Amino acid sequence: MTMKTEILTLLRESGDYISGQELCNRFQVSRTAVWKVMKQLQGEGYIIEAIRNKGYILKENPDVLSLSELKSRIHNCWAGREIYFHEETGSTNIDAKRLGEEGAPHGTVVVADQQNAGRGRRGRAWESPAGKDIYFTILLRPGFAPDKASGLTLVMALSVVQAIEKKCGLQAGIKWPNDVVVNGRKVCGILTEMTTETDYIEHVVTGVGINVNLEVMPEEIKNTATSLLLEGGRKIARAELLQEVLERFEVNYGAYAEALNMEPLLEEYDAHLVNRDRQVRILDPKGEWEGIAKGINRLGELIVDKGGGQLVEVYAGEVSVRGLYGYV
Ligand code: BTN
């Protein structure tokens, strides 16, 4: 950690005044050097007050997304232990794949404030304007077989739901397999892409886009998509939310990788499943059909009642699911 990142961590974690002299002693630098760091932090948007005889205090936590902010918050064992931040990039999924090819460790995270070639599922684009949303990708090197990789998306969806509920006080749900929904509209999409060597995963990247502080949704998607600000009525500090997502993911991934199935997370996943007990249309390329969604199984497949008690297990990679009455 740089001195700036460490000072930021100290200020946030103490929540109180820290004397200039204490900081000088700790880092073995002059008062001017400490003062310069404070000026830099203020320039980045932090409200830091300096009071004679008391020292420095961090007054409020603005929505700053920067490498120092992320590094000063994320202290996981592996999820985000190595972190990259770009003001602007093409796609964090592509950046993470490149890092994967270059040998970056399991858990490396790439975050961007803006993407100019953001990718969605099924070849669609993901609109990624600056200063509002979260775009990040985590690089994973799971030791398991490629057929277990689709579960990672479900594990991430659950982690995002938990983080939103904790940090935004909103109730969030999952539209199987991996859209996160608030009040019936999508707030988060997840795109997992894999590089395999026939029978094992070389590496896999899971990219997450969360609509956080957008005040107005673009016309084309406003019926099906929303933002956390629009639903909760207050601005969210993106770094704080991202920190929570990564903390949850580290724990949930651990449970999934140990069991090698969704069993330990199943109950909580199902409790958040918005399709549960609802009519869904299965868009199977071999022929569309309808049924009632019941929940997921240990493989993360959706169990659908086709009628007359005939239960069919639907695999995420093959089909898409639509609600009959709108998006969910
Ligand atoms: C979807 O279509 O629902 C998935 C959207 C995934 C978007 C995220 S934003 C960060 C990462 N980088 C990308 O290019 N896409 C994913």
Side-chain angles (χ1 to χ4, degrees):
M1 266 202 254
T2 61
M3 178 163 90
K4 185 167 95 182
T5 309
E6 272 193 63
I7 289 184
L8 185 56
T9 312
L10 288 170
L11 285 171
R12 184 181 308 105
E13 285 173 3
S14 99
D16 201 351
Y17 288 93
I18 300 186
S19 82
Q21 192 56 51
E22 196 183 320
L23 293 171
C24 295
N25 297 345
R26 192 176 178 124
F27 296 103
Q28 295 291 305
V29 294
S30 67
R31 278 187 171 254
T32 321
V34 169
W35 178 81
K36 274 191 184 153
V37 170
M38 298 300 172
K39 280 280 155 224
Q40 271 178 25
L41 288 171
Q42 284 167 338
E44 288 171 21
Y46 297 96
I47 312 289
I48 293 171
E49 221 175 69
I51 302 242
R52 192 187 282 270
N53 296 329
K54 278 180 144 176
Y56 299 98
I57 191 168
L58 182 61
K59 274 302 194 196
E60 53 183 273
N61 200 16
D63 179 31
V64 174
L65 198 60
S66 66
L67 193 60
S68 311
E69 175 71 18
L70 293 166
K71 283 198 165 168
S72 74
R73 285 181 170 278
I74 296 164
H75 308 295
N76 293 338
C77 290
W78 55 267
R81 202 184 155 104
E82 201 136 321
I83 194 154
Y84 293 80
F85 174 75
H86 303 291
E87 291 288 347
E88 184 177 353
T89 191
S91 153
T92 55
N93 268 27
I94 299 199
D95 296 336
K97 271 194 231 173
R98 202 194 48 243
L99 288 165
E101 277 147 28
E102 289 166 6
H106 176 71
T108 298
V109 168
V110 183
V111 184
D113 184 54
Q114 179 178 8
Q115 296 183 120
N116 51 43
R119 289 142 61 106
R121 295 173 76 209
R122 301 180 196 282
R124 287 191 284 250
W126 185 261
E127 281 302 314
S128 312
K132 300 283 175 193
D133 295 331
I134 294 177
Y135 319 108
F136 82 93
T137 301
I138 186 160
L139 167 75
L140 301 164
R141 298 186 180 280
F144 44 73
D147 64 334
K148 299 280 182 291
S150 64
L152 296 173
T153 322
L154 281 74
V155 174
M156 182 57 87
L158 180 61
S159 310
V160 172
V161 159
Q162 291 169 330
I164 290 176
E165 293 198 332
K166 165 116 188 261
K167 291 293 169 189
C168 312
L170 287 166
Q171 232 184 33
I174 303 168
K175 176 180 176 279
W176 183 85
N178 49 33
D179 284 355
V180 177
V181 170
V182 173
N183 296 329
R185 292 194 169 92
K186 174 165 170 173
V187 291
C188 163
I190 302 171
L191 177 66
T192 293
E193 299 179 276
M194 186 167 37
T195 306
T196 52
E197 289 293 334
T198 58
D199 55 350
Y200 74 96
I201 301 173
E202 219 290 301
H203 58 258
V204 45
V205 299
T206 294
V208 183
I210 312 179
N211 303 336
V212 184
N213 291 323
L214 268 185
E215 292 101 349
V216 185
M217 294 312 288
E219 196 60 38
E220 325 79 78
I221 56 170
K222 81 167 195 244
N223 288 330
T224 52
T226 187
S227 73
L228 298 173
L229 169 69
L230 285 171
E231 297 309 312
R234 71 181 168 91
K235 233 178 141 179
I236 304 293
R238 288 173 291 165
E240 189 179 348
L241 183 62
L242 178 52
Q243 173 189 4
E244 188 69 30
V245 173
L246 290 174
E247 282 174 12
R248 299 291 179 142
F249 185 75
E250 183 163 294
V251 174
N252 294 333
Y253 176 95
Y256 179 77
E258 200 189 327
L260 280 179
N261 62 55
M262 288 296 288
E263 181 81 56
L265 307 171
L266 209 152
E267 203 174 310
E268 201 174 353
Y269 186 95
D270 271 356
H272 285 98
L273 190 64
V274 289
N275 318 90
R276 201 173 185 184
D277 295 325
R278 287 193 183 210
Q279 190 118 25
V280 289
R281 182 192 291 270
I282 308 298
L283 308 178
D284 189 332
K286 294 189 216 101
E288 296 184 12
W289 52 278
E290 283 167 22
I292 309 274
K294 299 315 273 178
I296 61 164
N297 64 16
R298 290 166 37 153
L299 301 175
E301 297 163 338
L302 187 68
I303 305 167
V304 181
D305 187 342
K306 229 177 159 171
Q310 191 195 346
L311 299 180
V312 180
E313 291 169 330
V314 179
Y315 175 64
E318 291 167 355
V319 299
S320 156
V321 162
R322 285 277 167 281
L324 285 195
Y325 311 102
Y327 159 73
V328 170

Short mmCIF file of all heavy atoms in Angstrom, two decimals, residues 24-81:
data_model
loop_
_atom_site.label_atom_id
_atom_site.label_comp_id
_atom_site.label_asym_id
_atom_site.label_seq_id
_atom_site.Cartn_x
_atom_site.Cartn_y
_atom_site.Cartn_z
N CYS A 24 3.12 11.70 10.97
CA CYS A 24 4.54 11.95 10.66
C CYS A 24 5.40 10.84 11.25
O CYS A 24 6.28 10.29 10.59
CB CYS A 24 5.01 13.26 11.25
SG CYS A 24 4.19 14.66 10.52
N ASN A 25 5.13 10.50 12.52
CA ASN A 25 5.93 9.46 13.18
C ASN A 25 5.76 8.12 12.51
O ASN A 25 6.72 7.41 12.27
CB ASN A 25 5.53 9.32 14.66
CG ASN A 25 5.81 10.60 15.43
OD1 ASN A 25 6.54 11.47 14.96
ND2 ASN A 25 5.20 10.74 16.60
N ARG A 26 4.54 7.83 12.22
CA ARG A 26 4.24 6.53 11.65
C ARG A 26 4.94 6.32 10.30
O ARG A 26 5.47 5.25 10.03
CB ARG A 26 2.73 6.42 11.47
CG ARG A 26 2.30 5.04 11.15
CD ARG A 26 0.78 4.99 11.10
NE ARG A 26 0.39 3.64 10.75
CZ ARG A 26 -0.41 2.90 11.47
NH1 ARG A 26 -0.91 3.38 12.58
NH2 ARG A 26 -0.73 1.70 11.06
N PHE A 27 4.90 7.34 9.46
CA PHE A 27 5.48 7.17 8.11
C PHE A 27 6.89 7.76 7.99
O PHE A 27 7.47 7.72 6.92
CB PHE A 27 4.54 7.79 7.06
CG PHE A 27 3.21 7.11 6.99
CD1 PHE A 27 2.08 7.68 7.56
CD2 PHE A 27 3.08 5.86 6.39
CE1 PHE A 27 0.85 7.03 7.51
CE2 PHE A 27 1.86 5.21 6.33
CZ PHE A 27 0.74 5.80 6.90
N GLN A 28 7.38 8.32 9.11
CA GLN A 28 8.72 8.91 9.08
C GLN A 28 8.86 9.97 7.99
O GLN A 28 9.78 9.94 7.17
CB GLN A 28 9.79 7.81 8.87
CG GLN A 28 9.87 6.84 10.03
CD GLN A 28 10.45 7.51 11.29
OE1 GLN A 28 11.54 8.07 11.24
NE2 GLN A 28 9.71 7.50 12.37
N VAL A 29 7.86 10.86 7.91
CA VAL A 29 7.90 11.94 6.92
C VAL A 29 7.60 13.27 7.62
O VAL A 29 7.20 13.29 8.78
CB VAL A 29 6.87 11.73 5.79
CG1 VAL A 29 7.20 10.50 4.95
CG2 VAL A 29 5.45 11.63 6.35
N SER A 30 7.75 14.36 6.86
CA SER A 30 7.52 15.69 7.44
C SER A 30 6.03 16.01 7.48
O SER A 30 5.23 15.38 6.81
CB SER A 30 8.23 16.73 6.58
OG SER A 30 7.58 16.78 5.31
N ARG A 31 5.70 17.05 8.24
CA ARG A 31 4.31 17.51 8.30
C ARG A 31 3.83 17.97 6.93
O ARG A 31 2.67 17.80 6.57
CB ARG A 31 4.17 18.67 9.30
CG ARG A 31 4.07 18.12 10.70
CD ARG A 31 3.76 19.23 11.68
NE ARG A 31 3.47 18.61 12.97
CZ ARG A 31 2.25 18.51 13.49
NH1 ARG A 31 1.20 19.02 12.88
NH2 ARG A 31 2.06 17.93 14.65
N THR A 32 4.75 18.56 6.18
CA THR A 32 4.38 19.03 4.83
C THR A 32 4.01 17.85 3.95
O THR A 32 3.06 17.92 3.16
CB THR A 32 5.56 19.77 4.16
OG1 THR A 32 6.19 20.54 5.17
CG2 THR A 32 5.13 20.63 3.03
N ALA A 33 4.75 16.74 4.10
CA ALA A 33 4.45 15.56 3.27
C ALA A 33 3.04 15.04 3.60
O ALA A 33 2.27 14.70 2.71
CB ALA A 33 5.48 14.48 3.51
N VAL A 34 2.70 15.03 4.89
CA VAL A 34 1.36 14.58 5.29
C VAL A 34 0.31 15.53 4.73
O VAL A 34 -0.71 15.11 4.16
CB VAL A 34 1.26 14.50 6.84
CG1 VAL A 34 -0.18 14.31 7.28
CG2 VAL A 34 2.14 13.38 7.37
N TRP A 35 0.59 16.81 4.86
CA TRP A 35 -0.36 17.82 4.38
C TRP A 35 -0.59 17.67 2.87
O TRP A 35 -1.71 17.78 2.38
CB TRP A 35 0.21 19.21 4.72
CG TRP A 35 -0.63 20.35 4.26
CD1 TRP A 35 -1.74 20.84 4.88
CD2 TRP A 35 -0.43 21.13 3.07
NE1 TRP A 35 -2.25 21.89 4.16
CE2 TRP A 35 -1.46 22.08 3.04
CE3 TRP A 35 0.51 21.12 2.05
CZ2 TRP A 35 -1.59 23.02 2.02
CZ3 TRP A 35 0.39 22.05 1.03
CH2 TRP A 35 -0.64 22.98 1.02
N LYS A 36 0.47 17.35 2.15
CA LYS A 36 0.35 17.17 0.70
C LYS A 36 -0.57 15.99 0.36
O LYS A 36 -1.38 16.07 -0.57
CB LYS A 36 1.72 16.92 0.07
CG LYS A 36 2.45 18.19 -0.27
CD LYS A 36 3.67 17.90 -1.12
CE LYS A 36 4.45 19.17 -1.37
NZ LYS A 36 5.86 18.90 -1.60
N VAL A 37 -0.46 14.92 1.11
CA VAL A 37 -1.34 13.77 0.88
C VAL A 37 -2.80 14.17 1.12
O VAL A 37 -3.70 13.82 0.35
CB VAL A 37 -0.94 12.58 1.79
CG1 VAL A 37 -1.99 11.46 1.74
CG2 VAL A 37 0.42 12.03 1.40
N MET A 38 -3.02 14.95 2.19
CA MET A 38 -4.39 15.40 2.49
C MET A 38 -4.94 16.25 1.34
O MET A 38 -6.10 16.12 0.96
CB MET A 38 -4.43 16.21 3.79
CG MET A 38 -3.99 15.42 5.01
SD MET A 38 -5.04 13.97 5.31
CE MET A 38 -4.12 13.17 6.62
N LYS A 39 -4.09 17.09 0.79
CA LYS A 39 -4.50 17.94 -0.34
C LYS A 39 -4.89 17.08 -1.54
O LYS A 39 -5.88 17.34 -2.22
CB LYS A 39 -3.35 18.88 -0.76
CG LYS A 39 -3.22 20.09 0.12
CD LYS A 39 -4.26 21.14 -0.31
CE LYS A 39 -4.58 22.04 0.85
NZ LYS A 39 -5.96 22.37 1.08
N GLN A 40 -4.05 16.04 -1.77
CA GLN A 40 -4.35 15.13 -2.89
C GLN A 40 -5.70 14.46 -2.69
O GLN A 40 -6.53 14.40 -3.60
CB GLN A 40 -3.30 14.01 -2.95
CG GLN A 40 -2.08 14.33 -3.78
CD GLN A 40 -1.09 13.15 -3.72
OE1 GLN A 40 -1.46 12.01 -3.49
NE2 GLN A 40 0.17 13.47 -3.90
N LEU A 41 -5.93 13.96 -1.48
CA LEU A 41 -7.19 13.27 -1.20
C LEU A 41 -8.37 14.23 -1.36
O LEU A 41 -9.40 13.87 -1.93
CB LEU A 41 -7.17 12.67 0.21
CG LEU A 41 -6.25 11.44 0.39
CD1 LEU A 41 -6.12 11.06 1.86
CD2 LEU A 41 -6.76 10.24 -0.41
N GLN A 42 -8.19 15.47 -0.89
CA GLN A 42 -9.27 16.45 -1.06
C GLN A 42 -9.55 16.69 -2.53
O GLN A 42 -10.69 16.81 -2.96
CB GLN A 42 -8.91 17.76 -0.35
CG GLN A 42 -9.05 17.66 1.16
CD GLN A 42 -8.41 18.81 1.91
OE1 GLN A 42 -7.52 19.48 1.39
NE2 GLN A 42 -8.84 19.03 3.15
N GLY A 43 -8.47 16.73 -3.31
CA GLY A 43 -8.61 16.93 -4.76
C GLY A 43 -9.38 15.79 -5.41
O GLY A 43 -10.04 15.98 -6.43
N GLU A 44 -9.33 14.62 -4.81
CA GLU A 44 -10.06 13.47 -5.37
C GLU A 44 -11.52 13.43 -4.92
O GLU A 44 -12.27 12.56 -5.32
CB GLU A 44 -9.37 12.15 -4.95
CG GLU A 44 -8.07 11.95 -5.68
CD GLU A 44 -7.26 10.77 -5.14
OE1 GLU A 44 -7.84 9.88 -4.49
OE2 GLU A 44 -6.05 10.76 -5.37
N GLY A 45 -11.89 14.36 -4.02
CA GLY A 45 -13.30 14.43 -3.62
C GLY A 45 -13.57 14.10 -2.16
O GLY A 45 -14.70 14.19 -1.71
N TYR A 46 -12.55 13.71 -1.41
CA TYR A 46 -12.78 13.41 0.01
C TYR A 46 -12.90 14.71 0.79
O TYR A 46 -12.15 15.67 0.54
CB TYR A 46 -11.61 12.60 0.60
CG TYR A 46 -11.45 11.25 -0.05
CD1 TYR A 46 -10.54 11.07 -1.09
CD2 TYR A 46 -12.23 10.17 0.35
CE1 TYR A 46 -10.41 9.84 -1.71
CE2 TYR A 46 -12.10 8.94 -0.26
CZ TYR A 46 -11.19 8.78 -1.29
OH TYR A 46 -11.07 7.56 -1.90
N ILE A 47 -13.84 14.72 1.74
CA ILE A 47 -13.98 15.90 2.58
C ILE A 47 -13.15 15.63 3.84
O ILE A 47 -13.56 14.87 4.72
CB ILE A 47 -15.45 16.14 2.98
CG1 ILE A 47 -16.37 16.05 1.76
CG2 ILE A 47 -15.62 17.47 3.72
CD1 ILE A 47 -16.25 17.18 0.77
N ILE A 48 -11.97 16.27 3.89
CA ILE A 48 -11.10 16.07 5.05
C ILE A 48 -10.95 17.41 5.75
O ILE A 48 -10.64 18.41 5.12
CB ILE A 48 -9.72 15.55 4.61
CG1 ILE A 48 -9.88 14.14 4.04
CG2 ILE A 48 -8.74 15.53 5.79
CD1 ILE A 48 -8.65 13.60 3.38
N GLU A 49 -11.24 17.40 7.05
CA GLU A 49 -11.15 18.63 7.81
C GLU A 49 -9.87 18.60 8.63
O GLU A 49 -9.51 17.55 9.17
CB GLU A 49 -12.35 18.67 8.75
CG GLU A 49 -12.98 20.03 8.86
CD GLU A 49 -14.23 19.92 9.72
OE1 GLU A 49 -14.10 19.69 10.95
OE2 GLU A 49 -15.31 20.05 9.14
N ALA A 50 -9.20 19.76 8.72
CA ALA A 50 -7.99 19.83 9.55
C ALA A 50 -8.25 20.82 10.67
O ALA A 50 -8.66 21.96 10.41
CB ALA A 50 -6.82 20.29 8.71
N ILE A 51 -8.10 20.37 11.90
CA ILE A 51 -8.33 21.27 13.04
C ILE A 51 -7.06 21.33 13.87
O ILE A 51 -6.49 20.28 14.22
CB ILE A 51 -9.51 20.75 13.91
CG1 ILE A 51 -10.76 20.64 13.05
CG2 ILE A 51 -9.70 21.63 15.15
CD1 ILE A 51 -11.92 21.49 13.42
N ARG A 52 -6.66 22.55 14.17
CA ARG A 52 -5.45 22.75 14.97
C ARG A 52 -5.56 22.03 16.32
O ARG A 52 -6.64 22.01 16.91
CB ARG A 52 -5.28 24.26 15.21
CG ARG A 52 -3.94 24.64 15.77
CD ARG A 52 -3.97 26.12 16.11
NE ARG A 52 -3.82 26.95 14.92
CZ ARG A 52 -2.64 27.35 14.45
NH1 ARG A 52 -1.54 27.01 15.05
NH2 ARG A 52 -2.57 28.10 13.38
N ASN A 53 -4.50 21.38 16.72
CA ASN A 53 -4.43 20.61 17.98
C ASN A 53 -5.20 19.30 17.99
O ASN A 53 -5.12 18.54 18.94
CB ASN A 53 -4.89 21.44 19.21
CG ASN A 53 -3.96 22.61 19.42
OD1 ASN A 53 -2.76 22.51 19.12
ND2 ASN A 53 -4.51 23.71 19.89
N LYS A 54 -5.97 19.07 16.95
CA LYS A 54 -6.72 17.80 16.92
C LYS A 54 -6.22 16.92 15.78
O LYS A 54 -6.04 15.72 15.96
CB LYS A 54 -8.21 18.07 16.71
CG LYS A 54 -8.94 18.43 17.99
CD LYS A 54 -10.39 18.67 17.66
CE LYS A 54 -11.32 18.20 18.72
NZ LYS A 54 -12.71 18.54 18.39
N GLY A 55 -6.05 17.53 14.63
CA GLY A 55 -5.54 16.75 13.51
C GLY A 55 -6.53 16.69 12.35
O GLY A 55 -7.34 17.60 12.17
N TYR A 56 -6.48 15.58 11.64
CA TYR A 56 -7.30 15.42 10.43
C TYR A 56 -8.45 14.45 10.68
O TYR A 56 -8.30 13.45 11.37
CB TYR A 56 -6.45 14.87 9.29
CG TYR A 56 -5.30 15.76 8.89
CD1 TYR A 56 -4.01 15.53 9.36
CD2 TYR A 56 -5.52 16.82 8.01
CE1 TYR A 56 -2.95 16.34 8.97
CE2 TYR A 56 -4.47 17.64 7.62
CZ TYR A 56 -3.19 17.40 8.10
OH TYR A 56 -2.15 18.20 7.71
N ILE A 57 -9.60 14.74 10.03
CA ILE A 57 -10.75 13.82 10.12
C ILE A 57 -11.41 13.70 8.74
O ILE A 57 -11.49 14.69 8.01
CB ILE A 57 -11.75 14.28 11.21
CG1 ILE A 57 -12.80 13.19 11.49
CG2 ILE A 57 -12.44 15.57 10.82
CD1 ILE A 57 -13.64 13.44 12.73
N LEU A 58 -11.86 12.47 8.42
CA LEU A 58 -12.59 12.26 7.17
C LEU A 58 -14.06 12.48 7.45
O LEU A 58 -14.68 11.74 8.21
CB LEU A 58 -12.34 10.82 6.69
CG LEU A 58 -12.97 10.40 5.37
CD1 LEU A 58 -12.47 11.25 4.21
CD2 LEU A 58 -12.69 8.92 5.10
N LYS A 59 -14.61 13.53 6.84
CA LYS A 59 -15.97 13.94 7.20
C LYS A 59 -17.05 13.08 6.58
O LYS A 59 -17.99 12.68 7.20
CB LYS A 59 -16.19 15.40 6.78
CG LYS A 59 -15.74 16.36 7.84
CD LYS A 59 -16.47 16.08 9.14
CE LYS A 59 -16.34 17.18 10.15
NZ LYS A 59 -16.71 16.80 11.48
N GLU A 60 -16.98 12.87 5.29
CA GLU A 60 -17.99 12.01 4.68
C GLU A 60 -17.36 11.18 3.60
O GLU A 60 -16.23 11.42 3.20
CB GLU A 60 -19.16 12.81 4.15
CG GLU A 60 -18.74 13.93 3.22
CD GLU A 60 -19.94 14.74 2.77
OE1 GLU A 60 -20.54 14.35 1.78
OE2 GLU A 60 -20.23 15.76 3.41
N ASN A 61 -18.08 10.19 3.21
CA ASN A 61 -17.54 9.23 2.27
C ASN A 61 -18.17 9.46 0.91
O ASN A 61 -19.25 8.97 0.64
CB ASN A 61 -17.91 7.84 2.80
CG ASN A 61 -17.03 6.81 2.20
OD1 ASN A 61 -15.97 7.13 1.65
ND2 ASN A 61 -17.46 5.59 2.27
N PRO A 62 -17.54 10.25 0.07
CA PRO A 62 -18.17 10.52 -1.22
C PRO A 62 -18.02 9.32 -2.14
O PRO A 62 -17.31 8.37 -1.81
CB PRO A 62 -17.36 11.71 -1.74
CG PRO A 62 -16.02 11.53 -1.14
CD PRO A 62 -16.21 10.82 0.16
N ASP A 63 -18.68 9.36 -3.27
CA ASP A 63 -18.61 8.24 -4.21
C ASP A 63 -17.35 8.37 -5.06
O ASP A 63 -17.41 8.78 -6.22
CB ASP A 63 -19.87 8.24 -5.09
CG ASP A 63 -19.82 7.12 -6.10
OD1 ASP A 63 -19.21 6.08 -5.79
OD2 ASP A 63 -20.38 7.29 -7.18
N VAL A 64 -16.21 8.04 -4.45
CA VAL A 64 -14.95 8.10 -5.21
C VAL A 64 -14.59 6.68 -5.63
O VAL A 64 -14.54 5.77 -4.80
CB VAL A 64 -13.80 8.65 -4.33
CG1 VAL A 64 -12.47 8.57 -5.07
CG2 VAL A 64 -14.10 10.07 -3.91
N LEU A 65 -14.36 6.48 -6.91
CA LEU A 65 -13.90 5.18 -7.38
C LEU A 65 -12.50 5.38 -7.92
O LEU A 65 -12.31 6.04 -8.94
CB LEU A 65 -14.86 4.68 -8.48
CG LEU A 65 -14.82 3.19 -8.80
CD1 LEU A 65 -15.16 2.36 -7.59
CD2 LEU A 65 -15.79 2.84 -9.93
N SER A 66 -11.52 4.88 -7.19
CA SER A 66 -10.13 5.05 -7.59
C SER A 66 -9.34 3.88 -7.03
O SER A 66 -9.84 3.14 -6.18
CB SER A 66 -9.57 6.35 -7.00
OG SER A 66 -9.53 6.25 -5.59
N LEU A 67 -8.10 3.74 -7.48
CA LEU A 67 -7.30 2.63 -7.00
C LEU A 67 -7.06 2.74 -5.49
O LEU A 67 -7.17 1.75 -4.76
CB LEU A 67 -5.97 2.58 -7.76
CG LEU A 67 -5.19 1.28 -7.56
CD1 LEU A 67 -6.00 0.08 -8.02
CD2 LEU A 67 -3.86 1.33 -8.30
N SER A 68 -6.76 3.96 -4.99
CA SER A 68 -6.52 4.11 -3.54
C SER A 68 -7.75 3.75 -2.75
O SER A 68 -7.68 3.08 -1.71
CB SER A 68 -6.16 5.54 -3.17
OG SER A 68 -5.17 6.03 -3.98
N GLU A 69 -8.90 4.22 -3.22
CA GLU A 69 -10.14 3.93 -2.49
C GLU A 69 -10.37 2.43 -2.42
O GLU A 69 -10.70 1.88 -1.37
CB GLU A 69 -11.31 4.65 -3.19
CG GLU A 69 -12.69 4.36 -2.64
CD GLU A 69 -12.96 4.98 -1.26
OE1 GLU A 69 -12.23 5.90 -0.86
OE2 GLU A 69 -13.90 4.51 -0.58
N LEU A 70 -10.18 1.75 -3.55
CA LEU A 70 -10.43 0.31 -3.58
C LEU A 70 -9.41 -0.44 -2.71
O LEU A 70 -9.76 -1.30 -1.92
CB LEU A 70 -10.39 -0.20 -5.02
CG LEU A 70 -11.53 0.32 -5.90
CD1 LEU A 70 -11.26 0.08 -7.38
CD2 LEU A 70 -12.86 -0.34 -5.50
N LYS A 71 -8.14 -0.04 -2.86
CA LYS A 71 -7.10 -0.75 -2.09
C LYS A 71 -7.25 -0.52 -0.60
O LYS A 71 -6.92 -1.37 0.22
CB LYS A 71 -5.72 -0.30 -2.54
CG LYS A 71 -5.32 -0.95 -3.86
CD LYS A 71 -3.84 -0.86 -4.06
CE LYS A 71 -3.42 -1.81 -5.17
NZ LYS A 71 -2.06 -1.58 -5.63
N SER A 72 -7.73 0.67 -0.23
CA SER A 72 -7.85 0.95 1.20
C SER A 72 -9.03 0.20 1.81
O SER A 72 -9.17 0.12 3.02
CB SER A 72 -7.98 2.45 1.44
OG SER A 72 -9.27 2.88 1.09
N ARG A 73 -9.91 -0.34 0.97
CA ARG A 73 -11.09 -1.04 1.50
C ARG A 73 -10.99 -2.55 1.42
O ARG A 73 -11.51 -3.24 2.28
CB ARG A 73 -12.34 -0.65 0.67
CG ARG A 73 -12.85 0.72 0.97
CD ARG A 73 -14.08 0.98 0.13
NE ARG A 73 -14.72 2.19 0.56
CZ ARG A 73 -15.55 2.27 1.59
NH1 ARG A 73 -15.86 1.20 2.29
NH2 ARG A 73 -16.09 3.42 1.93
N ILE A 74 -10.39 -3.05 0.36
CA ILE A 74 -10.50 -4.49 0.10
C ILE A 74 -9.33 -5.23 0.73
O ILE A 74 -8.18 -5.05 0.33
CB ILE A 74 -10.62 -4.73 -1.43
CG1 ILE A 74 -11.92 -4.09 -1.90
CG2 ILE A 74 -10.60 -6.23 -1.75
CD1 ILE A 74 -12.06 -3.89 -3.37
N HIS A 75 -9.65 -6.03 1.72
CA HIS A 75 -8.59 -6.76 2.45
C HIS A 75 -8.89 -8.25 2.48
O HIS A 75 -8.68 -8.91 3.49
CB HIS A 75 -8.48 -6.22 3.89
CG HIS A 75 -8.33 -4.73 3.94
ND1 HIS A 75 -7.23 -4.08 3.44
CD2 HIS A 75 -9.16 -3.76 4.40
CE1 HIS A 75 -7.39 -2.77 3.60
NE2 HIS A 75 -8.54 -2.55 4.18
N ASN A 76 -9.43 -8.76 1.40
CA ASN A 76 -9.77 -10.19 1.36
C ASN A 76 -8.51 -11.04 1.22
O ASN A 76 -7.44 -10.54 0.87
CB ASN A 76 -10.68 -10.47 0.16
CG ASN A 76 -12.04 -9.83 0.31
OD1 ASN A 76 -12.44 -9.52 1.43
ND2 ASN A 76 -12.72 -9.60 -0.79
N CYS A 77 -8.70 -12.35 1.45
CA CYS A 77 -7.56 -13.27 1.28
C CYS A 77 -7.16 -13.35 -0.17
O CYS A 77 -5.98 -13.32 -0.51
CB CYS A 77 -7.92 -14.68 1.75
SG CYS A 77 -8.09 -14.76 3.51
N TRP A 78 -8.13 -13.47 -1.09
CA TRP A 78 -7.77 -13.58 -2.51
C TRP A 78 -8.66 -12.77 -3.45
O TRP A 78 -8.19 -12.31 -4.47
CB TRP A 78 -7.71 -15.06 -2.94
CG TRP A 78 -8.98 -15.81 -2.67
CD1 TRP A 78 -9.26 -16.55 -1.56
CD2 TRP A 78 -10.15 -15.88 -3.49
NE1 TRP A 78 -10.53 -17.08 -1.64
CE2 TRP A 78 -11.09 -16.68 -2.82
CE3 TRP A 78 -10.51 -15.34 -4.73
CZ2 TRP A 78 -12.36 -16.97 -3.34
CZ3 TRP A 78 -11.76 -15.62 -5.26
CH2 TRP A 78 -12.67 -16.42 -4.57
N ALA A 79 -9.92 -12.55 -3.10
CA ALA A 79 -10.83 -11.87 -4.02
C ALA A 79 -10.53 -10.37 -4.02
O ALA A 79 -10.96 -9.65 -3.13
CB ALA A 79 -12.28 -12.13 -3.65
N GLY A 80 -9.79 -9.92 -5.01
CA GLY A 80 -9.43 -8.50 -5.10
C GLY A 80 -8.14 -8.17 -4.39
O GLY A 80 -7.80 -7.00 -4.20
N ARG A 81 -7.40 -9.21 -4.01
CA ARG A 81 -6.10 -8.95 -3.38
C ARG A 81 -5.18 -8.24 -4.37
O ARG A 81 -4.37 -7.39 -4.01
CB ARG A 81 -5.50 -10.29 -2.97
CG ARG A 81 -4.49 -10.17 -1.89
CD ARG A 81 -3.87 -11.51 -1.63
NE ARG A 81 -2.56 -11.29 -1.06
CZ ARG A 81 -2.27 -11.44 0.21
NH1 ARG A 81 -3.21 -11.79 1.05
NH2 ARG A 81 -1.06 -11.21 0.64
#
